[in-house]
Amino acid sequence: RLLPDAAAVASATGRGTVVLEQVSYAGPQLPGGRGGGVVPAFSSLFSRRLRWSLAGMVACVVALAVSLWLVTKIHPLTAFYLTLLDLFAIDDPAIGAPLGRQILQLLSGLVGLLMLPVLLAAVLEALGTFRTASALRKPPRGLGGHVVLLGLGKIGTRVLTRLRELNIPVVCVEADPEARGLAVARRLRVPVILGDVTQEGVLESAKIHRAHALLAVTSSDTTNLEAVLYARSVRPDLRVVLRLYDDDFATAVYRTLRAAHPGALTRSRSVSHLAAPAFAGAMMGRQILGAIPVERRVLLFAAMTVGGHPQLDGKTIAEAFRAGSWRVLALDTATRDASEDVRRSGLVWDLPDTYVLRSSDRVVLAATRRGLAELLGRRPRDRAGA
């Protein structure tokens, strides 16, 4: 409840609400860089098993070259060159050579036979990686601690871009193969699952059981809710943020999820409500000092002169207060130094309830959007006459 009176505060019971909180990333260590380059990273060209195979082959070649150098006492570069010739069966047979040289030539030929399939696999895998660089990626097997993002529309695309700017690992789920955000996900090399989140197995493909949070931002309230309920059945402690448009429906869902999963973090947000402070500041000018979203509502902080506002002028602090609409927080006692032409501001916060507001006073108050519109004489338009 925004701006309750003393009686409402005294009669309030049950769970309290944290209005101001700082949210920070508390997941696993994040990778550096955005990974949005056109050319894939070298580590992504080959699978882990193939990288180990290539490393083993290189170690064998080096070991054979060093052994040939120690046995024949020839120059190290010459030993390395002869080893490569033996590997590819280019060198002449070591007939009449010392026994050590002959054994090493046989071993080099054997390693060369083993190297051919490994090199072929590396070439095919690299070509496949470059061919699918412009295609949608799939979540890697060991992925965990990531964010599952449902919906790649206008809002989902902006959220995805912001998450990657913060280097937060993301897996997207989208039902529309023509969604506008797929191109962005492809450019950022973000794994995407194409499918309906309400179908079985789709969220499992996004590794929801190992995810850090779920963001359901599709344009359908029922789809978002169904996805969140299923995700909570898999992970009761999963952090979820769901986009809901209908206020009454969102309030009921929000309270139900908090009651059903008290140990988890649940947030219900409306895009229009989140954008409301910016619009309010643009419409009301410099009077708006700031805004705080409180669940699905917004609390505005404004500075104004008492004169011209009959709800404030000539009234005490107690009389000027209207529960649920506005409350005077401080008196601005700013003065201007004539010699330096500098405005020296000062706020008096502990105003007694008996203080009478004068026309020349400038106050700082907290208000709801409707309450501030009433103070400024901008009553909301009647929907029936719109």
Side-chain angles (χ1 to χ4, degrees), residues 174-326:
E174 174 57 52
D176 183 9
E178 303 296 330
R180 60 187 302 171
L182 290 179
V184 178
R186 187 180 296 111
R187 176 174 58 85
L188 298 177
R189 298 180 60 80
V190 173
V192 178
I193 304 297
L194 285 178
D196 188 353
V197 295
T198 60
Q199 296 179 352
E200 185 178 359
V202 175
L203 285 178
E204 284 81 356
S205 301
K207 315 295 183 182
I208 191 63
H209 58 286
R210 292 201 297 264
H212 183 67
L214 171 67
L215 304 181
V217 295
T218 69
S219 57
S220 173
D221 288 1
T222 55
T223 300
N224 294 335
L225 178 59
E226 187 171 349
V228 168
L229 291 177
Y230 179 77
R232 277 286 171 82
S233 66
V234 177
R235 281 274 308 277
D237 60 338
L238 182 67
R239 297 185 176 189
V240 298
V241 176
L242 63 158
R243 172 188 175 188
L244 298 177
Y245 181 78
D246 185 83
D247 282 338
D248 296 334
F249 177 63
T251 302
V253 169
Y254 184 43
R255 292 176 178 175
T256 302
L257 287 178
R258 286 201 311 177
H261 304 277
L265 291 179
T266 305
R267 296 292 182 267
S268 170
R269 294 293 181 259
S270 168
V271 176
S272 59
H273 281 73
L274 290 175
F279 283 100
M283 290 187 298
M284 298 178 182
R286 297 182 179 179
Q287 292 170 317
I288 302 297
L289 303 177
I292 299 177
V294 183
E295 295 188 0
R296 297 182 63 84
R297 304 177 65 185
V298 61
L299 189 64
L300 301 173
F301 296 88
M304 63 175 57
T305 303
V306 173
H309 302 289
Q311 302 93 334
L312 305 177
D313 196 0
K315 298 183 180 299
T316 63
I317 295 296
E319 293 172 344
F321 167 63
R322 180 178 297 182
S325 297
W326 63 76

